[in-house]
Amino acid sequence: MPTTEMTEIAERNRDVVRRLYDSVMSGDLAGIAPLRSADYRVTQAPGHPVPGTRIGDDASAAGGLVFSALGIEGLTVQEIVADGPYRVIGLVELYGKDADGQPWTMPVAECFKVENGVITDIRPYYWDMVEVQRIAGTPRRLKPLENRSA
């Protein structure tokens, strides 16, 4: 059973993520900086157009690349779930236009680690990575399966 202190910490962590999303949606990039540690990490999946783990300023720059690569125009927060001393999950719907100007939307679950009131780690999980690659204009190149019947 959660203690009152744990519940208060979880609510403060949820508020940090809520303020991050509010800053992103309003275009207040300066408002994002105090919500993240100087050495925060962002890890994108290997199939993402901007893959890998980046730290601090490199993570911030990569965030701009992601918005540009996917033509992201905004997001709608569906839910922010926090429990325990560190973990927060943001469930959002991203939307934008692809390179051909066609609108798209996609659910994304973002896992945050919040320590001492600042975000230290972000790991986004996109609903459909093949669609992310299509939106970004970087289709996955599949290797043909070898003929195993001999």
Side-chain angles (χ1 to χ4, degrees):
M1 178 168 232
T3 66
T4 301
E5 180 183 12
M6 292 298 286
T7 302
E8 290 172 358
I9 291 169
E11 189 55 40
R12 282 195 304 268
N13 291 346
R14 181 183 294 121
D15 186 58
V16 168
V17 173
R18 185 178 295 116
R19 287 186 291 146
L20 174 85
Y21 285 138
D22 288 346
S23 293
V24 168
M25 289 186 296
S26 69
D28 177 17
L29 300 182
I32 295 172
L35 302 173
R36 304 177 302 204
S37 67
D39 61 348
Y40 82 105
R41 296 173 171 267
V42 176
T43 302
Q44 296 282 5
H48 192 275
V50 185
T53 298
R54 292 182 171 73
I55 300 170
D57 290 339
D58 289 340
S60 297
L65 292 174
V66 169
F67 268 67
S68 177
L70 298 178
I72 296 172
E73 296 176 343
L75 62 90
T76 302
V77 176
Q78 304 294 334
E79 190 168 2
I80 300 172
V81 181
D83 190 24
Y86 304 113
R87 297 290 174 198
V88 180
I89 307 293
L91 303 171
V92 299
E93 185 83 19
L94 291 179
Y95 59 88
K97 291 188 179 145
D98 66 15
D100 295 327
Q102 296 301 307
W104 61 267
T105 65
M106 181 171 302
V108 178
E110 296 186 297
C111 298
F112 295 88
K113 184 173 185 184
V114 181
E115 297 178 90
N116 300 315
V118 294
I119 295 166
T120 60
D121 189 73
I122 305 171
R123 294 173 187 251
Y125 296 90
Y126 293 79
W127 180 256
D128 183 344
M129 195 57 88
V130 172
E131 180 67 359
V132 167
Q133 293 170 350
R134 185 205 62 78
I135 291 165
T138 55
R140 193 171 104 191
R141 307 278 187 238
L142 295 175
K143 295 181 182 176
L145 293 175
E146 295 177 18
N147 185 349
R148 298 188 196 278
S149 60

PDB file of all heavy atoms in Angstrom, residues 102-117:
ATOM      1  N   GLN A 102       0.524  14.614 -46.268  1.00  0.00           N
ATOM      2  CA  GLN A 102      -0.599  13.818 -45.780  1.00  0.00           C
ATOM      3  C   GLN A 102      -0.600  13.785 -44.248  1.00  0.00           C
ATOM      4  O   GLN A 102       0.437  13.539 -43.629  1.00  0.00           O
ATOM      5  CB  GLN A 102      -0.525  12.391 -46.328  1.00  0.00           C
ATOM      6  CG  GLN A 102      -0.649  12.306 -47.826  1.00  0.00           C
ATOM      7  CD  GLN A 102      -1.967  12.890 -48.313  1.00  0.00           C
ATOM      8  OE1 GLN A 102      -3.032  12.509 -47.850  1.00  0.00           O
ATOM      9  NE2 GLN A 102      -1.880  13.831 -49.240  1.00  0.00           N
ATOM     10  N   PRO A 103      -1.762  14.024 -43.644  1.00  0.00           N
ATOM     11  CA  PRO A 103      -1.823  13.993 -42.179  1.00  0.00           C
ATOM     12  C   PRO A 103      -1.666  12.577 -41.627  1.00  0.00           C
ATOM     13  O   PRO A 103      -2.030  11.609 -42.279  1.00  0.00           O
ATOM     14  CB  PRO A 103      -3.219  14.548 -41.872  1.00  0.00           C
ATOM     15  CG  PRO A 103      -4.004  14.363 -43.109  1.00  0.00           C
ATOM     16  CD  PRO A 103      -3.035  14.340 -44.261  1.00  0.00           C
ATOM     17  N   TRP A 104      -1.097  12.498 -40.444  1.00  0.00           N
ATOM     18  CA  TRP A 104      -0.948  11.228 -39.752  1.00  0.00           C
ATOM     19  C   TRP A 104      -1.118  11.463 -38.253  1.00  0.00           C
ATOM     20  O   TRP A 104      -0.929  12.569 -37.767  1.00  0.00           O
ATOM     21  CB  TRP A 104       0.411  10.578 -40.038  1.00  0.00           C
ATOM     22  CG  TRP A 104       1.572  11.404 -39.590  1.00  0.00           C
ATOM     23  CD1 TRP A 104       2.275  12.315 -40.332  1.00  0.00           C
ATOM     24  CD2 TRP A 104       2.167  11.432 -38.289  1.00  0.00           C
ATOM     25  NE1 TRP A 104       3.258  12.913 -39.581  1.00  0.00           N
ATOM     26  CE2 TRP A 104       3.211  12.375 -38.320  1.00  0.00           C
ATOM     27  CE3 TRP A 104       1.921  10.752 -37.111  1.00  0.00           C
ATOM     28  CZ2 TRP A 104       4.003  12.660 -37.210  1.00  0.00           C
ATOM     29  CZ3 TRP A 104       2.713  11.033 -35.999  1.00  0.00           C
ATOM     30  CH2 TRP A 104       3.744  11.973 -36.071  1.00  0.00           C
ATOM     31  N   THR A 105      -1.463  10.409 -37.535  1.00  0.00           N
ATOM     32  CA  THR A 105      -1.477  10.421 -36.072  1.00  0.00           C
ATOM     33  C   THR A 105      -0.914   9.090 -35.600  1.00  0.00           C
ATOM     34  O   THR A 105      -0.965   8.097 -36.323  1.00  0.00           O
ATOM     35  CB  THR A 105      -2.901  10.591 -35.486  1.00  0.00           C
ATOM     36  OG1 THR A 105      -3.680   9.459 -35.826  1.00  0.00           O
ATOM     37  CG2 THR A 105      -3.558  11.864 -35.974  1.00  0.00           C
ATOM     38  N   MET A 106      -0.358   9.089 -34.408  1.00  0.00           N
ATOM     39  CA  MET A 106       0.187   7.848 -33.873  1.00  0.00           C
ATOM     40  C   MET A 106       0.260   7.912 -32.350  1.00  0.00           C
ATOM     41  O   MET A 106       0.776   8.889 -31.798  1.00  0.00           O
ATOM     42  CB  MET A 106       1.584   7.590 -34.412  1.00  0.00           C
ATOM     43  CG  MET A 106       2.153   6.281 -33.892  1.00  0.00           C
ATOM     44  SD  MET A 106       3.679   5.797 -34.692  1.00  0.00           S
ATOM     45  CE  MET A 106       3.209   5.721 -36.401  1.00  0.00           C
ATOM     46  N   PRO A 107      -0.204   6.859 -31.676  1.00  0.00           N
ATOM     47  CA  PRO A 107      -0.031   6.789 -30.226  1.00  0.00           C
ATOM     48  C   PRO A 107       1.432   6.494 -29.879  1.00  0.00           C
ATOM     49  O   PRO A 107       2.104   5.736 -30.575  1.00  0.00           O
ATOM     50  CB  PRO A 107      -0.927   5.642 -29.787  1.00  0.00           C
ATOM     51  CG  PRO A 107      -1.466   5.003 -31.015  1.00  0.00           C
ATOM     52  CD  PRO A 107      -0.992   5.765 -32.198  1.00  0.00           C
ATOM     53  N   VAL A 108       1.872   7.128 -28.800  1.00  0.00           N
ATOM     54  CA  VAL A 108       3.231   6.919 -28.302  1.00  0.00           C
ATOM     55  C   VAL A 108       3.151   6.831 -26.777  1.00  0.00           C
ATOM     56  O   VAL A 108       2.456   7.623 -26.140  1.00  0.00           O
ATOM     57  CB  VAL A 108       4.176   8.077 -28.705  1.00  0.00           C
ATOM     58  CG1 VAL A 108       5.568   7.879 -28.134  1.00  0.00           C
ATOM     59  CG2 VAL A 108       4.233   8.234 -30.218  1.00  0.00           C
ATOM     60  N   ALA A 109       3.827   5.849 -26.213  1.00  0.00           N
ATOM     61  CA  ALA A 109       3.989   5.752 -24.761  1.00  0.00           C
ATOM     62  C   ALA A 109       5.414   6.183 -24.462  1.00  0.00           C
ATOM     63  O   ALA A 109       6.366   5.632 -25.010  1.00  0.00           O
ATOM     64  CB  ALA A 109       3.752   4.324 -24.282  1.00  0.00           C
ATOM     65  N   GLU A 110       5.554   7.199 -23.631  1.00  0.00           N
ATOM     66  CA  GLU A 110       6.889   7.680 -23.260  1.00  0.00           C
ATOM     67  C   GLU A 110       7.134   7.347 -21.797  1.00  0.00           C
ATOM     68  O   GLU A 110       6.359   7.727 -20.923  1.00  0.00           O
ATOM     69  CB  GLU A 110       7.003   9.184 -23.492  1.00  0.00           C
ATOM     70  CG  GLU A 110       6.865   9.545 -24.948  1.00  0.00           C
ATOM     71  CD  GLU A 110       7.117  11.000 -25.228  1.00  0.00           C
ATOM     72  OE1 GLU A 110       6.361  11.849 -24.719  1.00  0.00           O
ATOM     73  OE2 GLU A 110       8.069  11.283 -25.967  1.00  0.00           O
ATOM     74  N   CYS A 111       8.220   6.630 -21.555  1.00  0.00           N
ATOM     75  CA  CYS A 111       8.602   6.255 -20.200  1.00  0.00           C
ATOM     76  C   CYS A 111       9.626   7.269 -19.693  1.00  0.00           C
ATOM     77  O   CYS A 111      10.673   7.460 -20.307  1.00  0.00           O
ATOM     78  CB  CYS A 111       9.200   4.854 -20.182  1.00  0.00           C
ATOM     79  SG  CYS A 111       8.033   3.605 -20.733  1.00  0.00           S
ATOM     80  N   PHE A 112       9.304   7.916 -18.594  1.00  0.00           N
ATOM     81  CA  PHE A 112      10.170   8.921 -17.991  1.00  0.00           C
ATOM     82  C   PHE A 112      10.705   8.409 -16.663  1.00  0.00           C
ATOM     83  O   PHE A 112       9.978   7.748 -15.915  1.00  0.00           O
ATOM     84  CB  PHE A 112       9.388  10.208 -17.693  1.00  0.00           C
ATOM     85  CG  PHE A 112       8.872  10.921 -18.898  1.00  0.00           C
ATOM     86  CD1 PHE A 112       7.630  10.597 -19.421  1.00  0.00           C
ATOM     87  CD2 PHE A 112       9.610  11.926 -19.502  1.00  0.00           C
ATOM     88  CE1 PHE A 112       7.130  11.261 -20.527  1.00  0.00           C
ATOM     89  CE2 PHE A 112       9.108  12.590 -20.616  1.00  0.00           C
ATOM     90  CZ  PHE A 112       7.871  12.259 -21.127  1.00  0.00           C
ATOM     91  N   LYS A 113      11.935   8.761 -16.368  1.00  0.00           N
ATOM     92  CA  LYS A 113      12.463   8.595 -15.017  1.00  0.00           C
ATOM     93  C   LYS A 113      12.652  10.009 -14.479  1.00  0.00           C
ATOM     94  O   LYS A 113      13.306  10.843 -15.124  1.00  0.00           O
ATOM     95  CB  LYS A 113      13.788   7.835 -15.016  1.00  0.00           C
ATOM     96  CG  LYS A 113      14.293   7.563 -13.613  1.00  0.00           C
ATOM     97  CD  LYS A 113      15.519   6.675 -13.613  1.00  0.00           C
ATOM     98  CE  LYS A 113      15.926   6.325 -12.189  1.00  0.00           C
ATOM     99  NZ  LYS A 113      17.171   5.538 -12.182  1.00  0.00           N
ATOM    100  N   VAL A 114      12.048  10.274 -13.332  1.00  0.00           N
ATOM    101  CA  VAL A 114      12.123  11.587 -12.706  1.00  0.00           C
ATOM    102  C   VAL A 114      12.804  11.417 -11.357  1.00  0.00           C
ATOM    103  O   VAL A 114      12.368  10.609 -10.533  1.00  0.00           O
ATOM    104  CB  VAL A 114      10.718  12.211 -12.527  1.00  0.00           C
ATOM    105  CG1 VAL A 114      10.815  13.592 -11.886  1.00  0.00           C
ATOM    106  CG2 VAL A 114       9.989  12.277 -13.863  1.00  0.00           C
ATOM    107  N   GLU A 115      13.883  12.164 -11.157  1.00  0.00           N
ATOM    108  CA  GLU A 115      14.618  12.103  -9.889  1.00  0.00           C
ATOM    109  C   GLU A 115      14.810  13.509  -9.358  1.00  0.00           C
ATOM    110  O   GLU A 115      15.229  14.405 -10.105  1.00  0.00           O
ATOM    111  CB  GLU A 115      15.986  11.453 -10.096  1.00  0.00           C
ATOM    112  CG  GLU A 115      15.911  10.003 -10.562  1.00  0.00           C
ATOM    113  CD  GLU A 115      17.290   9.419 -10.793  1.00  0.00           C
ATOM    114  OE1 GLU A 115      17.848   8.858  -9.831  1.00  0.00           O
ATOM    115  OE2 GLU A 115      17.796   9.534 -11.930  1.00  0.00           O
ATOM    116  N   ASN A 116      14.487  13.708  -8.090  1.00  0.00           N
ATOM    117  CA  ASN A 116      14.654  15.008  -7.448  1.00  0.00           C
ATOM    118  C   ASN A 116      14.001  16.133  -8.246  1.00  0.00           C
ATOM    119  O   ASN A 116      14.545  17.227  -8.370  1.00  0.00           O
ATOM    120  CB  ASN A 116      16.142  15.313  -7.210  1.00  0.00           C
ATOM    121  CG  ASN A 116      16.802  14.284  -6.334  1.00  0.00           C
ATOM    122  OD1 ASN A 116      16.244  13.881  -5.308  1.00  0.00           O
ATOM    123  ND2 ASN A 116      17.972  13.823  -6.734  1.00  0.00           N
ATOM    124  N   GLY A 117      12.837  15.845  -8.823  1.00  0.00           N
ATOM    125  CA  GLY A 117      12.060  16.868  -9.497  1.00  0.00           C
ATOM    126  C   GLY A 117      12.458  17.184 -10.929  1.00  0.00           C
ATOM    127  O   GLY A 117      11.909  18.104 -11.523  1.00  0.00           O
TER     128      GLY A 117
END
